[in-house]
Amino acid sequence: MAQQSTKRPLKIIAGADSFGCKLKDTLLSQLRALNIEVEDLGTDKYYSVGEEIGRRVSQAADDPAVETRGLVACGTGVGVAIFANKFPSVYAATCLNPDEARNARSINNCNVLAVSGMNTTPEVASEVLKTFLETPFRSPCQASGSNPWPDEIDQFLENSIHEMNKIGTSKPSLENGNCHLCSLVKGREFEPVDIMPGGSITIVRESPTSAFVRFTAGSVEPAHHHTFGHDLVVLKGSKRVWNLSKGEKYDLGVGDYLFTPAGDVHRVKYFEDTEFFIKWEGQWDLFLDEDHAAANAAIDKEKDKEN
């Protein structure tokens, strides 16, 4: 039986599109001959197959009892790998020869093997699969000159898995000041917006206008509209925007973007101290369509319906 990189029993989840199904079936026969557990999802669209296997491998990543890997095949082996890789803890690689499989396992801890039904013969694919099964993570490979990795690189590879697993699991924060917009706002003085209690603004440029705006937690912008459409991106806090003209609402947090067309009537509620960058297509203006009492009453009415 093929050697494994851990002591856990190995399970392979496999699938393919119509261009890769024949090669996939051939490789599954090889796996079964090795007494490796196989779950065959059959044939479907390449993006559906890649997504499903990526999701299943991701969900099983922390299973202490079984090591779950994936085998995906399409015409080139590229499309299925792209969609499998959309999930945390999934490292899918398209391998056209054994050296590529050895490098992918050694350096990237590849756990989903993607193969090409159009460009790889069954004999070569069999060697690719064998290498994928038998090569442990951080083992000597072509990239290391077939020698053991130096201690510094070996330690880097070991830590890389922990760091890579974090990618895609949390939303990047713009609050640390590392972005260009956050740097621009530093040191600027904000002037209160008299008709919007709790709000303040600093104009960066006029006509077309760009500005930074702040609102304190609990503030409400009554329904209003502008002559020009505007784009905004939230730098801090959270807010809800009701586009009353379109009958839609949007919950926005750090990093979220929203465009509101010219003339659209919208109402806003701020849940936290919030800061955002905004750009109008022309000169800044504002026309109220209701007062604060009406805005708060409408928001309270919606809250009662939700509860």
Side-chain angles (χ1 to χ4, degrees), residues 73-214:
C74 66
T76 63
V78 174
V80 282
I82 288 173
F83 285 91
N85 273 323
K86 291 184 176 292
F87 297 88
S89 302
V90 173
Y91 315 112
T94 303
C95 299
L96 302 181
N97 58 62
D99 283 340
E100 291 180 354
R102 187 173 292 107
N103 285 353
R105 282 289 305 145
S106 174
I107 300 170
N108 305 114
N109 197 30
C110 171
N111 55 7
V112 175
L113 173 64
V115 292
S116 168
M118 295 170 58
N119 301 311
T120 308
T121 65
E123 293 75 20
V124 172
S126 176
E127 289 300 313
V128 170
L129 178 60
K130 182 175 184 292
T131 304
F132 172 73
L133 295 173
E134 295 181 350
T135 304
F137 177 49
R138 295 155 52 204
S139 65
C141 67
Q142 188 181 38
S144 70
S146 299
N147 296 313
W149 291 102
D151 290 342
E152 181 180 357
I153 301 299
D154 188 68
Q155 188 64 35
F156 163 78
L157 292 174
E158 182 177 14
N159 293 334
S160 68
I161 296 302
H162 175 70
E163 294 172 2
M164 288 191 297
N165 284 347
K166 296 179 181 179
I167 296 174
T169 60
S170 61
K171 197 171 189 176
S173 174
L174 301 180
E175 298 183 25
N176 55 17
N178 290 332
C179 71
H180 294 298
L181 290 178
C182 300
S183 299
L184 285 173
V185 76
K186 287 181 178 178
R188 292 184 176 273
E189 293 187 6
F190 283 71
E191 298 292 332
V193 180
D194 294 334
I195 59 175
M196 293 288 182
S200 57
I201 189 172
T202 179
I203 302 292
V204 178
R205 183 182 67 176
E206 294 187 4
S207 193
T209 304
S210 55
F212 291 94
V213 181
R214 290 173 175 169

Side-chain angles (χ1 to χ4, degrees), residues 231-285:
D231 307 82
L232 69 83
V233 60
V234 179
L235 304 177
K236 175 183 177 182
S238 60
K239 57 190 284 188
R240 176 173 291 176
V241 179
W242 291 266
N243 187 315
L244 304 179
S245 297
K246 291 184 168 58
E248 299 173 347
K249 65 180 178 181
Y250 315 94
D251 287 322
L252 306 179
V254 174
D256 286 334
Y257 162 86
L258 180 66
F259 172 72
T260 302
D264 277 16
V265 178
H266 52 289
R267 180 189 299 129
V268 187
K269 168 76 174 182
Y270 293 89
F271 302 112
E272 307 171 81
D273 290 347
T274 301
E275 186 173 296
F276 55 93
F277 176 78
I278 189 167
K279 181 176 71 69
W280 283 269
E281 295 171 351
Q283 190 166 7
W284 179 80
D285 59 16

